[in-house]
Amino acid sequence: MSVTDQFLNDIEGHLLLAATRAEGRTAAERFCEPLHWLTGAQREEVERRFEEEYLTLARASWQRTADRAGGLRQEYEAAYRALRRRLLMAWLPACVLGIVGLALCLARGTVAP
């Protein structure tokens, strides 16, 4: 991975994190809206904790997604290798038989050079 790709990935990660924090703040505000009995300090504390929990859950979700993507990648790579091996095992004997057949025909003179 080039330095530019790494830089772009870092920027994308920061933007995703900032967007998730904003979503968490918005969700926390919606959650606290009907809780009229909270004082200002209590409301801020509940919103802060809600936002932290929201971000923690998002990170866990991202990690599960990344882990699953890695597992799927390994599965697909293994399937691709097996398919490539099967294809090679089918074409290699066919090519050998074709070459041997052509050589026999040339040796007998049945095929015009």
Side-chain angles (χ1 to χ4, degrees):
M1 180 179 285
S2 72
V3 174
T4 303
D5 290 340
Q6 182 62 40
F7 179 70
L8 292 175
N9 283 343
D10 288 347
I11 289 173
E12 184 180 14
H14 288 294
L15 291 174
L16 181 60
L17 185 59
T20 303
R21 282 187 190 277
E23 288 173 4
R25 263 186 251 109
T26 302
E29 290 168 2
R30 274 195 321 262
F31 178 78
C32 288
E33 191 173 311
L35 306 177
H36 301 292
W37 63 87
L38 293 176
T39 65
Q42 289 173 331
R43 180 178 300 278
E44 288 176 11
E45 179 65 16
V46 170
E47 286 178 358
R48 184 188 64 75
R49 287 184 179 200
F50 189 101
E51 182 184 340
E52 285 177 15
E53 186 63 23
Y54 189 93
L55 190 57
T56 300
L57 291 172
R59 283 183 175 154
S61 176
W62 296 337
Q63 187 60 51
R64 283 191 305 273
T65 301
D67 292 345
R68 181 64 180 139
L72 285 174
R73 180 181 182 144
Q74 290 176 351
E75 288 176 32
Y76 283 125
E77 286 177 351
Y80 176 75
R81 281 192 302 273
L83 182 60
R84 191 175 56 197
R85 189 173 32 254
R86 285 178 37 206
L87 185 61
L88 180 64
M89 292 302 157
W91 277 100
L92 190 58
C95 290
V96 168
L97 286 174
I99 291 171
V100 168
L102 182 62
L104 287 175
C105 288
L106 287 174
R108 290 185 176 175
T110 57
V111 175

